[in-house]
Amino acid sequence: MRGGAVLCLGALLAAAPLRLAVAQNAPAAGQHPTLQPPAAPKTPAVPQHPAPAAPSPSAAPQRQPVLFSADEVQYDSQLGLVIAKGHVELSQGQQILLADTVTYNERTDTATASGHVTMLQPGGEVVFADYVELRDNMRDGFLKNVRMLLSDRSRLAGNTARRVAGNRTEIRRGVYSPCDPCREDPTKAPIWQIEAAEITHDKQEQLIEYRNAMMEIDGIPVLWTPYFSTPDPSVKRASGFLAPTGGESTANGYRIGVPYYMVLGPDKDATVEPIYYSTGGEQFRGEYRQRFSNGYWNTDGSVTFNSQRFTNIDPEPVSGTRWDFDTDAQFALNQDWRVGLDSFRASDPTYLLRYSLGAPSDFLTTHAYAENFGARSYGNISAWTYQSLETGVGDSVQPIVAPIADYQWVSEPGALGSRLALDGNFMNLSRISGVDTRRVSTGGEWRLPFDDVIGGQYSLVAGVRTDGYQSDNLQLVDNTTESATAGRVFPQVALTWQYPWVRQGTGYSQTISPVVMVAAAPGGLNPEKIPNEDSQGFEFDATSLFRRNRFPGFDRVDSGQRVDYGLTTGVFGDSGGSTRLTVGQSYSAQVNPNFLPGSGLEHRFSDVVGKLTVTPVPQLNFTYDFRLGYDDLASHNQTIGASVGPSALNFGVYYLDVATISDAPTLQKVKQITGVVNTTLTPYWSLQLIGTFDFSPTPSSIVGQTVGTTELLYNGVNLTYRDECIAFVTSLTKSGIRSGDAIPGTALTFTVVFKNLGDIGTKLASFGGGQ
């Protein structure tokens, strides 16, 4: 529970006493007197409004001016009383006190206010009370029927409030709620509130405590606790227990965890959580975060004891210790240099999936880097290592890249707008078992854009790149293994032409632009003694059609002569709708053997690639990426995405059909479809439905043949209630992913989030799966 009003109230009650003096001349009828700072006593011009004696300088320090206005002011010199009545308003600095009557007793140093008492605080909080009494140098005080409106519109009320020693504020029979009152019936209980026999705010300890507290939801008591505490609003972070977690699953049994948050300093904190699984072992999770003046460091991980694991290859369970570790750090050394580390590791391939510690992945990476940002250049030195999460693929064949260095530089525009660009690369790659490679690459290109007299746009690029390789354990075509040294010089010239046409219609405009690129380079230049490490997984689509070198990385070059041609067109409505289409093809003078079957470039005529985007209105969006056979226009790759409807009712469908990538055997043919429905049932209730299914062919019992199957990957239903003070989310999900001891399962969960109190999450039921 946040207690901002309690803190601000304490600041008001702890204010030093103020000696009030009435102005020399009494106000005329209808005017309000104004309080001034202490002054030497003078005989008042109007006897019925005498001025009190001024305090000596040693009695009270100099204070801010105090102003007040009232309908009537009385002073009793014998009793030492100053009484202000009727629409009394006192202000000092940013604090304002409103009341029907305010009385100050000089002899007892006691000030009282009664009748519609309102105190406005600098932080935006407002305190209401029927009666306020401040005494003993205003260190002690008493309020009756107190009500507080906090800066975030939360509400706190109590029968009485007492201030002790200028530090401690005690509210008796208090009630707290951040919920707005019911508009139809403000006396009705809010959605939730906390009633406590005593609410105590200690400024020195920066703590708000609740004793004998009961939480009510819609007026129904649901949770009682003899004591709990929260930090006061002045504390951004405080150590303490967080909401416990719980659940049940077939893989891990019942689960319970109690996280604890620790503040280690103004720039760092940590969270630890011991978790007990009835059949999944004992787990300890932790997270550490630290911020520096020039960077950050985040680390989290877990260790699980007595966890039995098995794989699809070795189904015999093995009990032992399992773990994961994830760290991310980045530091700016100066204005030009930055260093960082991003590392994720796990004890075995199925640990993360079984305990739901990360999204499904085929591998984990560790990346350390240093990068330089120049005015017209960029440099990077990195090291990479990989951990396989695929069953049967060991880490001994994974590459260790240390170091790999890149540098790019671009010149200022030269004559006629031309630019010169230079780049360089060095790589050292090794494996425990497999090919080791060292590479040095340097290159440069000159680019000149120009136009012709009829509107044609041209771009001339001339470039050259040199590569040198030294490899060990290189396997050649004849299955022999040797150490080899190889090199190449790759010159290439390309000229791109496009001729944009624009047509302005009524309420719309249309563009059509044919594009042609001619690229020429020597043939070959990809000898077998140059290993292919970073040019695998090539995918030919509309985005790579007009690239001079369509291979990613450095190890393969797009040699030979070719012509790329295509068309881009679009229709754009004045109201914002649009339809855009890009389609094209490539023709090569000779077949490039490095484009393997299935790549779309294995023939002289390439497959036809394109992308269609239709957005007639913001509530409708359709995209279609495709690759069609050059001879029969049969679909080879396609991705379809569509969403329709406003936020109140939105439908989305996403279809993926990707053929096997020939030079990346682990990337098999994929056919998947995902559907999503989002709807707002009421201003407070919303619903989401989601499902993902896989239609990829699987090997049949007949060698060389496959069969089509439909396999569930994931589906779920999420129901959410959310208003100004509470959020309730419940979800029913089912996963069909299976890998070793990570098995498919269904889970029913709910999470309740109370404003200013945090969240309570509990897994009601789970059948199979992780967690």
Side-chain angles (χ1 to χ4, degrees), residues 669 671 694-701 705-711:
K669 183 175 180 63
K671 278 189 177 183
D694 185 86
F695 302 94
S696 302
T698 58
S700 69
S701 57
Q705 296 187 10
T706 60
V707 295
T709 59
T710 300
E711 180 181 2

PDB file of all heavy atoms in Angstrom, residues 669 671 694-701 705-711:
ATOM      1  N   LYS A 669      11.637 -28.017 -44.400  1.00  0.00           N
ATOM      2  CA  LYS A 669      10.417 -27.401 -44.902  1.00  0.00           C
ATOM      3  C   LYS A 669       9.455 -27.144 -43.748  1.00  0.00           C
ATOM      4  O   LYS A 669       9.260 -27.983 -42.877  1.00  0.00           O
ATOM      5  CB  LYS A 669       9.762 -28.302 -45.945  1.00  0.00           C
ATOM      6  CG  LYS A 669       8.510 -27.713 -46.583  1.00  0.00           C
ATOM      7  CD  LYS A 669       7.988 -28.586 -47.677  1.00  0.00           C
ATOM      8  CE  LYS A 669       6.738 -27.981 -48.304  1.00  0.00           C
ATOM      9  NZ  LYS A 669       7.017 -26.677 -48.945  1.00  0.00           N
ATOM     10  N   LYS A 671       5.563 -25.554 -42.719  1.00  0.00           N
ATOM     11  CA  LYS A 671       4.227 -25.050 -43.022  1.00  0.00           C
ATOM     12  C   LYS A 671       3.509 -24.833 -41.701  1.00  0.00           C
ATOM     13  O   LYS A 671       3.199 -25.786 -40.995  1.00  0.00           O
ATOM     14  CB  LYS A 671       3.433 -26.043 -43.882  1.00  0.00           C
ATOM     15  CG  LYS A 671       3.729 -25.997 -45.360  1.00  0.00           C
ATOM     16  CD  LYS A 671       2.734 -26.859 -46.132  1.00  0.00           C
ATOM     17  CE  LYS A 671       2.966 -26.754 -47.630  1.00  0.00           C
ATOM     18  NZ  LYS A 671       1.951 -27.536 -48.383  1.00  0.00           N
ATOM     19  N   ASP A 694       1.106 -26.747 -37.092  1.00  0.00           N
ATOM     20  CA  ASP A 694       2.166 -27.085 -38.039  1.00  0.00           C
ATOM     21  C   ASP A 694       1.645 -28.139 -39.012  1.00  0.00           C
ATOM     22  O   ASP A 694       1.082 -29.162 -38.591  1.00  0.00           O
ATOM     23  CB  ASP A 694       3.389 -27.613 -37.289  1.00  0.00           C
ATOM     24  CG  ASP A 694       4.562 -27.858 -38.230  1.00  0.00           C
ATOM     25  OD1 ASP A 694       5.306 -26.900 -38.487  1.00  0.00           O
ATOM     26  OD2 ASP A 694       4.709 -29.001 -38.707  1.00  0.00           O
ATOM     27  N   PHE A 695       1.842 -27.883 -40.314  1.00  0.00           N
ATOM     28  CA  PHE A 695       1.421 -28.806 -41.369  1.00  0.00           C
ATOM     29  C   PHE A 695       2.620 -29.374 -42.118  1.00  0.00           C
ATOM     30  O   PHE A 695       2.479 -29.896 -43.229  1.00  0.00           O
ATOM     31  CB  PHE A 695       0.504 -28.093 -42.365  1.00  0.00           C
ATOM     32  CG  PHE A 695      -0.717 -27.492 -41.748  1.00  0.00           C
ATOM     33  CD1 PHE A 695      -0.740 -26.167 -41.341  1.00  0.00           C
ATOM     34  CD2 PHE A 695      -1.861 -28.253 -41.559  1.00  0.00           C
ATOM     35  CE1 PHE A 695      -1.860 -25.605 -40.773  1.00  0.00           C
ATOM     36  CE2 PHE A 695      -2.994 -27.697 -40.983  1.00  0.00           C
ATOM     37  CZ  PHE A 695      -2.996 -26.374 -40.582  1.00  0.00           C
ATOM     38  N   SER A 696       3.810 -29.252 -41.548  1.00  0.00           N
ATOM     39  CA  SER A 696       5.013 -29.694 -42.245  1.00  0.00           C
ATOM     40  C   SER A 696       4.954 -31.191 -42.495  1.00  0.00           C
ATOM     41  O   SER A 696       4.525 -31.965 -41.626  1.00  0.00           O
ATOM     42  CB  SER A 696       6.251 -29.353 -41.418  1.00  0.00           C
ATOM     43  OG  SER A 696       6.313 -27.963 -41.161  1.00  0.00           O
ATOM     44  N   PRO A 697       5.401 -31.628 -43.667  1.00  0.00           N
ATOM     45  CA  PRO A 697       5.400 -33.072 -43.947  1.00  0.00           C
ATOM     46  C   PRO A 697       6.418 -33.800 -43.080  1.00  0.00           C
ATOM     47  O   PRO A 697       7.470 -33.264 -42.750  1.00  0.00           O
ATOM     48  CB  PRO A 697       5.780 -33.134 -45.424  1.00  0.00           C
ATOM     49  CG  PRO A 697       6.517 -31.859 -45.689  1.00  0.00           C
ATOM     50  CD  PRO A 697       5.908 -30.827 -44.786  1.00  0.00           C
ATOM     51  N   THR A 698       6.086 -35.001 -42.701  1.00  0.00           N
ATOM     52  CA  THR A 698       6.977 -35.847 -41.905  1.00  0.00           C
ATOM     53  C   THR A 698       7.294 -37.113 -42.677  1.00  0.00           C
ATOM     54  O   THR A 698       6.497 -37.575 -43.506  1.00  0.00           O
ATOM     55  CB  THR A 698       6.324 -36.213 -40.569  1.00  0.00           C
ATOM     56  OG1 THR A 698       5.080 -36.883 -40.818  1.00  0.00           O
ATOM     57  CG2 THR A 698       6.041 -34.966 -39.749  1.00  0.00           C
ATOM     58  N   PRO A 699       8.472 -37.723 -42.444  1.00  0.00           N
ATOM     59  CA  PRO A 699       8.840 -38.950 -43.158  1.00  0.00           C
ATOM     60  C   PRO A 699       7.836 -40.060 -42.876  1.00  0.00           C
ATOM     61  O   PRO A 699       7.354 -40.240 -41.757  1.00  0.00           O
ATOM     62  CB  PRO A 699      10.218 -39.283 -42.594  1.00  0.00           C
ATOM     63  CG  PRO A 699      10.736 -37.986 -42.041  1.00  0.00           C
ATOM     64  CD  PRO A 699       9.531 -37.259 -41.552  1.00  0.00           C
ATOM     65  N   SER A 700       7.513 -40.812 -43.934  1.00  0.00           N
ATOM     66  CA  SER A 700       6.596 -41.942 -43.782  1.00  0.00           C
ATOM     67  C   SER A 700       7.394 -43.230 -43.650  1.00  0.00           C
ATOM     68  O   SER A 700       8.628 -43.246 -43.714  1.00  0.00           O
ATOM     69  CB  SER A 700       5.660 -42.029 -44.994  1.00  0.00           C
ATOM     70  OG  SER A 700       6.391 -42.416 -46.149  1.00  0.00           O
ATOM     71  N   SER A 701       6.673 -44.337 -43.453  1.00  0.00           N
ATOM     72  CA  SER A 701       7.344 -45.638 -43.338  1.00  0.00           C
ATOM     73  C   SER A 701       7.953 -46.076 -44.653  1.00  0.00           C
ATOM     74  O   SER A 701       8.816 -46.950 -44.696  1.00  0.00           O
ATOM     75  CB  SER A 701       6.329 -46.691 -42.856  1.00  0.00           C
ATOM     76  OG  SER A 701       5.216 -46.745 -43.746  1.00  0.00           O
ATOM     77  N   GLN A 705       9.470 -41.040 -48.959  1.00  0.00           N
ATOM     78  CA  GLN A 705       8.168 -40.396 -49.031  1.00  0.00           C
ATOM     79  C   GLN A 705       7.846 -39.722 -47.701  1.00  0.00           C
ATOM     80  O   GLN A 705       8.375 -40.078 -46.655  1.00  0.00           O
ATOM     81  CB  GLN A 705       7.071 -41.418 -49.376  1.00  0.00           C
ATOM     82  CG  GLN A 705       7.225 -42.034 -50.752  1.00  0.00           C
ATOM     83  CD  GLN A 705       6.035 -42.900 -51.117  1.00  0.00           C
ATOM     84  OE1 GLN A 705       5.017 -42.907 -50.436  1.00  0.00           O
ATOM     85  NE2 GLN A 705       6.159 -43.628 -52.214  1.00  0.00           N
ATOM     86  N   THR A 706       6.943 -38.742 -47.797  1.00  0.00           N
ATOM     87  CA  THR A 706       6.496 -38.023 -46.603  1.00  0.00           C
ATOM     88  C   THR A 706       4.984 -38.035 -46.545  1.00  0.00           C
ATOM     89  O   THR A 706       4.311 -38.255 -47.566  1.00  0.00           O
ATOM     90  CB  THR A 706       6.999 -36.574 -46.601  1.00  0.00           C
ATOM     91  OG1 THR A 706       6.490 -35.908 -47.766  1.00  0.00           O
ATOM     92  CG2 THR A 706       8.523 -36.527 -46.609  1.00  0.00           C
ATOM     93  N   VAL A 707       4.460 -37.777 -45.387  1.00  0.00           N
ATOM     94  CA  VAL A 707       3.016 -37.692 -45.204  1.00  0.00           C
ATOM     95  C   VAL A 707       2.699 -36.368 -44.546  1.00  0.00           C
ATOM     96  O   VAL A 707       3.486 -35.829 -43.769  1.00  0.00           O
ATOM     97  CB  VAL A 707       2.488 -38.860 -44.347  1.00  0.00           C
ATOM     98  CG1 VAL A 707       2.682 -40.187 -45.065  1.00  0.00           C
ATOM     99  CG2 VAL A 707       3.169 -38.889 -42.986  1.00  0.00           C
ATOM    100  N   GLY A 708       1.522 -35.833 -44.872  1.00  0.00           N
ATOM    101  CA  GLY A 708       1.097 -34.577 -44.276  1.00  0.00           C
ATOM    102  C   GLY A 708       0.361 -34.818 -42.967  1.00  0.00           C
ATOM    103  O   GLY A 708      -0.547 -35.651 -42.899  1.00  0.00           O
ATOM    104  N   THR A 709       0.735 -34.119 -41.942  1.00  0.00           N
ATOM    105  CA  THR A 709       0.088 -34.226 -40.641  1.00  0.00           C
ATOM    106  C   THR A 709      -0.180 -32.829 -40.107  1.00  0.00           C
ATOM    107  O   THR A 709       0.446 -31.853 -40.523  1.00  0.00           O
ATOM    108  CB  THR A 709       0.959 -34.995 -39.627  1.00  0.00           C
ATOM    109  OG1 THR A 709       2.211 -34.313 -39.475  1.00  0.00           O
ATOM    110  CG2 THR A 709       1.237 -36.415 -40.115  1.00  0.00           C
ATOM    111  N   THR A 710      -1.122 -32.758 -39.197  1.00  0.00           N
ATOM    112  CA  THR A 710      -1.422 -31.500 -38.515  1.00  0.00           C
ATOM    113  C   THR A 710      -1.033 -31.659 -37.048  1.00  0.00           C
ATOM    114  O   THR A 710      -1.545 -32.536 -36.360  1.00  0.00           O
ATOM    115  CB  THR A 710      -2.914 -31.149 -38.630  1.00  0.00           C
ATOM    116  OG1 THR A 710      -3.263 -31.027 -40.012  1.00  0.00           O
ATOM    117  CG2 THR A 710      -3.202 -29.845 -37.913  1.00  0.00           C
ATOM    118  N   GLU A 711      -0.145 -30.816 -36.584  1.00  0.00           N
ATOM    119  CA  GLU A 711       0.369 -30.918 -35.225  1.00  0.00           C
ATOM    120  C   GLU A 711       0.181 -29.583 -34.516  1.00  0.00           C
ATOM    121  O   GLU A 711       0.506 -28.528 -35.051  1.00  0.00           O
ATOM    122  CB  GLU A 711       1.850 -31.286 -35.243  1.00  0.00           C
ATOM    123  CG  GLU A 711       2.469 -31.413 -33.855  1.00  0.00           C
ATOM    124  CD  GLU A 711       3.940 -31.746 -33.919  1.00  0.00           C
ATOM    125  OE1 GLU A 711       4.481 -31.848 -35.043  1.00  0.00           O
ATOM    126  OE2 GLU A 711       4.557 -31.902 -32.853  1.00  0.00           O
TER     127      GLU A 711
END
